[in-house]
Amino acid sequence: KQQVYEETMPERLTLAQEQVLAIAPKPSAVISFFASLYIIATVLTNVEKRKKMYHRLMTALSFHSALQSVWFFWGTWAIPEGLVYLSAGTTTTCTAQGFLIQFSLVIPTYYSSLSVFAYFTMHSTAMNEAIHRVEPLVHGLLHVFPLASSIALQQIEMLNPNGPWCWIESFPPGCGKDTYPCVRGGGMSAEVAMWAFAGAPFFFMLFLSTVT
């Protein structure tokens, strides 16, 4: 399978470009990781903050943000060996990284939930109390689409090398009926998959956060 990857790999970037793509995300991933840990620690060590739903939502958001930072720091190391600079993984590690990055879509869902929570807190005491009663359900529902979309993308083999990590992409990039055969993910165009599983949900959550 590794030989197939190498034979079907399209024209590569220059070495300098690959080095930038591989290394540039790592410093920001480290900063994000420790910033997320700081928020978590701030809430968990403060009894009053732990009593408030807003801070519990922030803690869950920061937990997922810390994990996402790890997946981004992993970077090209997860990509099958020999494809790009610092790649040292396999198809399995690439799929795993793509699955986890897609699951990180839970982060914008938490951001949206904070906006909705703030709206109801200010405008409806009854609704605010109702949300507090079903808080565990809220946390669970926020994970449904990120998990379901991750599983769906894994099933259609649409988690492949995409820039400095693995995410939504067919392989080799640009493959299809009008170009060259796909080794993985040929059942759906990468553009359609990107919009269906990431772009449209993200803009919906952005819209929801804006109107609330």
Side-chain angles (χ1 to χ4, degrees):
K1 182 174 288 187
Q2 179 61 35
Q3 182 180 359
V4 173
Y5 269 107
E6 293 176 352
E7 291 176 351
T8 57
M9 189 66 183
E11 183 178 355
R12 294 174 60 156
L13 300 173
T14 66
L15 177 59
Q17 290 172 326
E18 289 189 5
Q19 290 173 331
V20 171
L21 275 178
I23 298 173
K26 297 187 186 301
S28 58
V30 171
I31 295 172
S32 175
F33 177 78
F34 285 105
S36 299
L37 289 186
Y38 174 79
I39 294 174
I40 295 171
T42 299
V43 175
L44 295 183
T45 56
N46 188 305
V47 176
E48 293 303 316
K49 290 183 184 296
R50 293 202 304 269
K51 292 179 180 179
K52 298 179 180 179
M53 184 175 175
Y54 168 81
H55 288 109
R56 292 193 294 271
L57 290 171
M58 277 299 302
T59 301
L61 188 159
S62 299
F63 171 76
H64 285 290
S65 180
L67 291 180
Q68 184 189 53
S69 300
V70 175
W71 317 145
F72 284 166
F73 187 84
W74 192 4
T76 57
W77 287 325
I79 295 175
E81 186 175 3
L83 294 187
V84 295
Y85 183 71
L86 293 182
S87 60
T90 63
T91 300
T92 301
T93 60
C94 186
T95 300
Q97 184 191 49
F99 185 100
L100 295 167
I101 288 178
Q102 175 63 21
F103 183 66
S104 296
L105 193 65
V106 71
I107 295 173
T109 68
Y110 266 106
Y111 276 118
S112 297
S113 73
L114 288 171
S115 297
V116 174
F117 173 74
Y119 175 83
F120 284 120
T121 298
M122 293 185 294
H123 291 83
S124 174
T125 302
M127 183 61 71
N128 181 37
E129 294 174 351
I131 292 176
H132 277 78
R133 287 195 298 270
V134 297
E135 182 183 347
L137 179 61
V138 171
H139 285 279
L141 290 175
L142 293 176
H143 291 76
V144 171
F145 180 80
L147 179 59
S149 62
S150 298
I151 294 173
L153 288 166
Q154 187 271 331
Q155 290 297 312
I156 63 176
E157 297 186 335
M158 192 59 79
L159 298 171
N160 299 295
N162 186 345
W165 41 66
C166 296
W167 193 32
I168 303 173
E169 180 61 274
S170 54
F171 191 88
C175 66
K177 296 180 180 179
D178 300 327
T179 52
Y180 36 86
C182 292
V183 177
R184 287 172 51 85
M188 176 187 295
S189 74
E191 291 78 10
V192 171
M194 180 68 75
W195 274 103
F197 293 103
F202 176 80
F203 280 109
F204 170 75
M205 288 180 280
L206 181 63
F207 171 77
L208 186 63
S209 300
T210 302
V211 297
T212 55

